[in-house]
Amino acid sequence: MSKPFIHDQFLLQSETSEWLYHDYAKDLPIIDYHCHLSPKEIADNELFESITDIWLSGDHYKWRAMRAFGVDEAYITGNASKEEKFMKWAEVVPKTLGNPLYHWTHLELSRYFGIDELLSPDTAKDIWQETNRLLQTHAFRPKSIIKRSNVEAICTTDAPVDTLSHHREIEKDTQFDTKVLPTLRPDTLLQYDMDSFYENLRAIEIYYDQEVSDEKTMKVLLRKMVNFFHESGCRLADFGMQRLNFEPVHTSQFDQIMVKIKKQIPLSFVEKTQYQTAVIIEFAHLFHEYDWVMQLHIGAIRDNNTRMYHQAGKDSGFDSIDDFLIAKPLNQLLDAIDQTDQLPQTIIYNLNPNHNEVIATTIGNFQTGNRIGKVQFGSGWWFNDQKRGMERQINDLAHFSYLQTFVGMLTDSRSFLSYTRHEYFRRILANIVGEWVEEGLVPNDKQMLGQLMTDICYQNAKNYFAF
């Protein structure tokens, strides 16, 4: 019998990489400190009806692939049946060789369903039936999948007006040991160019019973927001921004900007940047006070296809990498936050890999305050969340900063089956370090290299976030 595609030595190209992965990384718990899982689905803990629901629903990676191979939108976000959508995906998978979707698909089939057959039109019917059969068992409820995946902590992504009631409901379940904590994502307060900005601002004001008219009242609103999330267990915040711009602003200028915002008078580019800069800095100082971690996701240009935006909605697979200058504004922003010694622990994720070296060198400017790896170059994100992207990020971090302080991988996913991405990352990391040994770049010291693997894959995150 031939060896299955997903096997024990998958991606491991040397003897050193094999023992690094199997002896030191494979069985470590997962700290998934950034994802988009639904806390409601975890709290409800209901069975999934079909493999389409848990595998294809909301997965814009797969949707993009299906569109690229000419699949009609009815089988992607449209009204085709769940079985028809799965069968169309099965037609596409064999054509995705070289894309991470091919690896992820078969890792998930193998690890969760015990299926080592390659997905194709020939095997699709049997795989459809077997996965759906298994999905009706207790082992495939969300909480069971999380436990099976050895997940110690999950940080979801939550809007300022989320009630966080599902997090509190999950916490009451004494049979479920995984921490599920909220993460504040206050983008709606910053996205001035969005059509819904004024509506979002008003909703936030009502939710926190705090009208904003100037810098002083904005600070009160932000403190109320952070305090509410903190009391619900939140210890992280996350900003998603297409481009990072920086423009300093004095109190009197900010007050004038707020007057214009409340009157819905359009702001100039400089005023918009001043508003966003001031709000981020104030947030960052609060995060430092509350001992939170601040995350910056920079560089996604979203919803580029207007026609499909109106048909399929936002975040449906029409996003791409933006290109812009980041070095100066990033250093300026971190410096402005740090001038009062109030820079929180910070993780910076870039979508454009051309910014890797900029990020890796910038973080070295702000490693102060007796914290190991206080400012982090985050793991390969989105379009970089694949073998080459991870290899580039790991090597650039190692060469321009210090790999030993890295807090490692996250899923950034909406799927309960995506924890295999941690296995994928750990195998790639082990293979890189194994290559260094083979090339004579690092000593073949089992204790030293084993510690490196353990730190990056688990211990650094456990210490950094201190959940």
Side-chain angles (χ1 to χ4, degrees):
M1 182 181 293
S2 62
K3 184 165 60 176
F5 177 60
I6 303 298
H7 54 85
D8 283 350
Q9 311 316 331
F10 177 63
L11 298 180
L12 306 176
Q13 302 297 311
S14 68
E15 182 180 341
T16 303
S17 65
E18 290 176 10
W19 61 253
L20 278 170
Y21 174 72
H22 289 288
D23 295 351
Y24 288 95
K26 178 181 178 181
D27 297 322
L28 290 172
I30 289 171
I31 295 178
D32 195 21
Y33 56 89
H34 174 70
C35 74
H36 297 276
L37 289 179
S38 164
K40 182 181 186 303
E41 288 185 350
I42 299 174
D44 292 346
N45 202 32
E46 295 180 351
L47 292 170
F48 293 91
E49 183 178 312
S50 74
I51 185 65
T52 300
D53 294 290
I54 196 172
W55 222 26
L56 293 175
S57 178
D59 192 335
H60 52 83
Y61 288 88
K62 294 186 178 76
W63 294 352
R64 285 171 69 95
M66 294 169 79
R67 292 182 186 119
F69 288 100
V71 176
D72 189 274
E73 195 68 25
Y75 299 98
I76 303 172
T77 62
N79 58 6
S81 72
K82 294 176 182 181
E83 183 173 0
E84 289 173 324
K85 289 180 178 180
F86 176 80
M87 294 303 167
K88 287 295 183 182
W89 171 238
E91 291 177 15
V92 167
V93 169
K95 304 170 185 176
T96 62
L97 293 174
N99 187 280
L101 282 168
Y102 195 82
H103 288 166
W104 294 345
T105 294
H106 294 103
L107 270 170
E108 291 169 14
L109 284 175
S110 177
R111 296 297 180 252
Y112 290 104
F113 300 98
I115 295 173
D116 290 323
E117 290 181 285
L118 299 179
L119 180 59
S120 70
D122 292 337
T123 61
K125 190 69 175 179
D126 288 342
I127 291 176
W128 166 260
Q129 292 175 347
E130 176 63 5
T131 54
N132 289 343
R133 182 187 70 80
L134 290 170
L135 283 169
Q136 300 313 303
T137 65
H138 180 75
F140 283 88
R141 292 184 186 274
K143 290 181 181 179
S144 297
I145 295 173
I146 291 167
K147 283 186 177 182
R148 288 170 58 197
S149 303
N150 197 19
V151 183
E152 188 172 291
I154 294 170
C155 296
T156 59
T157 302
D158 308 276
V161 295
D162 284 342
T163 66
L164 308 183
S165 59
H166 299 299
H167 293 86
R168 290 188 286 275
E169 186 178 344
I170 295 166
E171 190 177 11
K172 293 176 183 177
D173 184 352
T174 58
Q175 302 301 309
F176 183 63
D177 297 331
T178 304
K179 291 180 181 291
V180 180
L181 306 175
T183 296
L184 174 61
R185 183 76 175 253
D187 293 359
T188 51
L189 193 60
L190 294 167
Q191 293 170 336
Y192 177 82
D193 289 326
M194 296 290 287
D195 293 338
S196 57
F197 172 77
Y198 297 108
E199 180 183 339
N200 291 333
L201 174 60
R202 185 58 188 146
I204 293 170
E205 288 178 321
I206 292 171
Y207 191 81
Y208 291 98
D209 191 24
Q210 179 64 54
E211 187 168 353
V212 178
S213 57
D214 53 20
E215 182 183 76
K216 181 179 179 180
T217 49
M218 175 62 79
K219 288 183 175 181
V220 173
L221 173 66
L222 301 189
R223 180 171 290 277
K224 285 185 175 183
M225 187 186 304
V226 171
N227 188 64
F228 168 70
F229 270 75
H230 189 83
E231 290 179 347
S232 297
C234 179
R235 297 296 182 268
L236 293 90
D238 182 29
F239 295 103
M241 51 191 73
Q242 179 180 331
R243 296 188 176 189
L244 179 65
N245 298 303
F246 178 86
E247 193 69 48
V249 58
H250 299 296
T251 298
S252 59
Q253 293 173 306
F254 188 86
D255 291 348
Q256 293 170 7
I257 290 169
M258 283 309 308
V259 169
K260 294 180 74 171
I261 287 175
K262 300 300 284 192
K263 293 182 178 179
Q264 299 191 24
I265 299 172
L267 302 182
S268 67
F269 174 79
V270 171
E271 288 173 328
K272 287 186 284 188
T273 305
Q274 287 177 320
Y275 168 78
Q276 292 168 341
T277 299
V279 172
I280 291 173
I281 291 173
E282 181 57 28
F283 261 130
H285 288 168
L286 286 169
F287 302 155
H288 178 270
E289 178 184 336
Y290 281 77
D291 199 21
W292 284 17
V293 174
M294 177 173 70
Q295 300 175 96
L296 305 176
H297 281 86
I298 306 169
I301 179 168
R302 300 175 184 269
D303 301 319
N304 295 285
N305 188 317
T306 302
R307 178 177 60 82
M308 293 306 299
Y309 174 81
H310 291 303
Q311 179 177 333
K314 66 189 296 291
D315 299 328
S316 54
F318 298 95
D319 313 312
S320 57
I321 297 170
D322 199 357
D323 58 340
F324 55 96
L325 299 177
I326 190 175
K328 185 175 180 179
L330 178 59
N331 276 281
Q332 287 177 314
L333 177 64
L334 296 178
D335 183 57
I337 298 168
D338 186 63
Q339 285 183 20
T340 54
D341 196 17
Q342 291 176 280
L343 179 67
Q345 290 173 268
T346 301
I347 307 175
I348 303 162
Y349 310 87
N350 59 293
L351 198 55
N352 192 328
N354 291 327
H355 295 152
N356 279 9
E357 295 171 5
V358 172
I359 305 295
T361 55
T362 296
I363 64 174
N365 299 331
F366 302 96
Q367 304 290 15
T368 60
N370 300 318
R371 298 261 191 167
I372 296 175
K374 176 180 177 179
V375 184
Q376 293 273 329
F377 174 18
S379 62
W381 168 47
W382 201 340
F383 293 109
N384 300 314
D385 184 12
Q386 29 79 6
K387 185 174 182 292
R388 187 178 70 167
M390 291 181 191
E391 289 170 343
R392 288 181 65 173
Q393 190 272 345
I394 290 167
N395 276 287
D396 288 339
L397 174 60
H399 293 149
F400 292 94
S401 187
Y402 308 97
L403 187 61
Q404 189 90 36
T405 67
F406 183 31
V407 294
M409 186 57 177
L410 44 82
T411 62
D412 192 27
S413 172
R414 293 169 175 81
S415 171
F416 289 96
L417 301 182
S418 63
Y419 288 110
T420 51
R421 294 187 191 178
H422 285 263
E423 175 184 344
Y424 198 59
F425 169 84
R426 292 172 180 184
R427 287 177 177 273
I428 289 168
L429 176 64
N431 196 58
I432 289 173
V433 178
E435 287 178 352
W436 292 349
V437 171
E438 296 294 316
E439 295 170 9
L441 299 175
V442 298
N444 191 6
D445 183 316
K446 193 163 188 176
Q447 183 177 354
M448 181 189 296
L449 299 181
Q451 188 65 57
L452 176 70
M453 291 296 297
T454 301
D455 285 349
I456 295 171
C457 296
Y458 173 67
Q459 197 60 51
N460 285 348
K462 187 173 181 67
N463 294 338
Y464 190 80
F465 298 104
F467 295 134

